[in-house]
Amino acid sequence: MSVNFDALEGHLTTRSYIEGYAPSQADVHVFKLIAEPVAPSYPHIKRWYTHIKSYSAEHDSLPGSSSAGQAFIQTAAPAEVTSEQAAAEEEDIDLFGSDEDEDADAERIKAERVAAYNARKANKPKTVAKSVVTLEVKPWDDETDMKALEESVRSIAMDGLVWGASKLVPIGYGIRKLQITLVVEDELVSLDELQEKISEFEDYVQSTDVAAMQKL
């Protein structure tokens, strides 16, 4: 058995988990079939893999069943047509037909239609893709100044980044992690770059993790 990486990448583009809004046995089932390192061409799988790996000690006790994960498992590599391939094929279709004996009038009509199509495409308003992200920031120990940590995180300003609500979540031994919500414009903000900026506050920050992400 192997993982259908293209299907899984497409699924995780707008979701944080295989099923639902929390880690489950479906995530564990698919996780165990993936070997590190995850290829850079699958950034959403890499994010999800790192997140599920952080639950390794809890894998056996996570709720749910593995059935949802079967959708991304294949016994052989089927010849699937991805949405990108389908779109490319549609673009290759000659909408106007062809004729070896086209005369000048037919060429003129075809050119007019192409020009009209390009004009409609150029005037179509562009949708700004946004995502709401839940980011977790872990401190070094229970003596870390969490107020200063949060102030440092919120001091980061990027085009397309809006900080939201936050809370401190206990993780054991008196240590609490910062869980903060943010909205990003997908074309302007790289979560990897943002996490690198947060990690630069090394006096406070031990690690960061994307806990959840949902397209708006």
Side-chain angles (χ1 to χ4, degrees):
M1 293 190 298
S2 61
V3 174
N4 185 330
F5 282 88
D6 290 334
L8 182 59
E9 176 71 8
H11 178 80
L12 293 174
T13 297
T14 57
R15 298 171 180 84
S16 298
Y17 303 101
I18 299 297
E19 181 180 38
Y21 299 94
S24 69
Q25 290 301 318
D27 295 284
V28 175
H29 181 58
V30 178
F31 173 87
K32 290 181 177 179
L33 293 176
I34 298 177
E36 291 189 281
V38 177
S41 56
Y42 298 107
H44 297 289
I45 294 178
K46 182 178 180 180
R47 166 187 54 77
W48 165 85
Y49 185 92
T50 301
H51 182 52
I52 299 304
K53 185 178 180 180
S54 69
Y55 286 88
S56 295
E58 305 170 46
H59 278 184
D60 292 340
S61 61
L62 290 177
S65 69
S66 62
S67 57
Q70 287 298 127
F72 306 101
I73 308 302
Q74 56 189 16
T75 54
E80 295 184 352
V81 177
T82 66
S83 59
E84 290 82 5
Q85 290 172 329
E89 290 178 1
E90 288 181 3
E91 291 179 359
D92 289 339
I93 295 176
D94 184 359
L95 300 176
F96 313 105
S98 61
D99 190 332
E100 294 180 357
D101 299 323
E102 281 184 332
D103 55 20
D105 189 52
E107 288 290 346
R108 178 184 58 79
I109 294 174
K110 181 176 179 179
E112 289 175 354
R113 290 178 177 175
V114 170
Y117 170 78
N118 289 334
R120 290 196 302 271
K121 186 175 180 181
N123 293 328
K124 185 177 180 181
K126 183 178 180 180
T127 301
V128 178
K130 295 183 178 181
S131 299
V132 58
V133 180
T134 299
L135 193 64
E136 293 182 343
V137 184
K138 295 180 181 178
W140 288 105
D141 51 38
D142 60 340
E143 296 182 356
T144 299
D145 186 340
M146 296 304 293
K147 181 179 180 182
L149 184 151
E150 181 173 352
E151 290 176 349
S152 298
V153 170
R154 290 184 181 274
S155 70
I156 298 174
M158 302 172 67
D159 289 340
L161 168 64
V162 178
W163 294 107
S166 65
K167 63 180 179 179
L168 297 178
V169 181
I171 57 178
Y173 302 103
I175 303 174
R176 296 180 297 172
K177 63 184 176 182
L178 173 67
Q179 191 174 84
I180 187 167
T181 302
L182 53 141
V183 176
V184 299
E185 291 186 26
D186 297 344
E187 291 188 359
L188 298 178
V189 179
S190 163
L191 290 179
D192 288 339
E193 180 182 351
L194 176 59
Q195 288 179 268
E196 288 178 4
K197 287 180 177 290
I198 294 174
S199 296
E200 290 176 1
F201 300 112
E202 55 188 20
D203 289 342
Y204 307 117
V205 178
Q206 180 193 66
S207 63
T208 64
D209 188 28
V210 176
M213 183 174 69
Q214 192 73 34
K215 294 292 184 181
L216 291 179

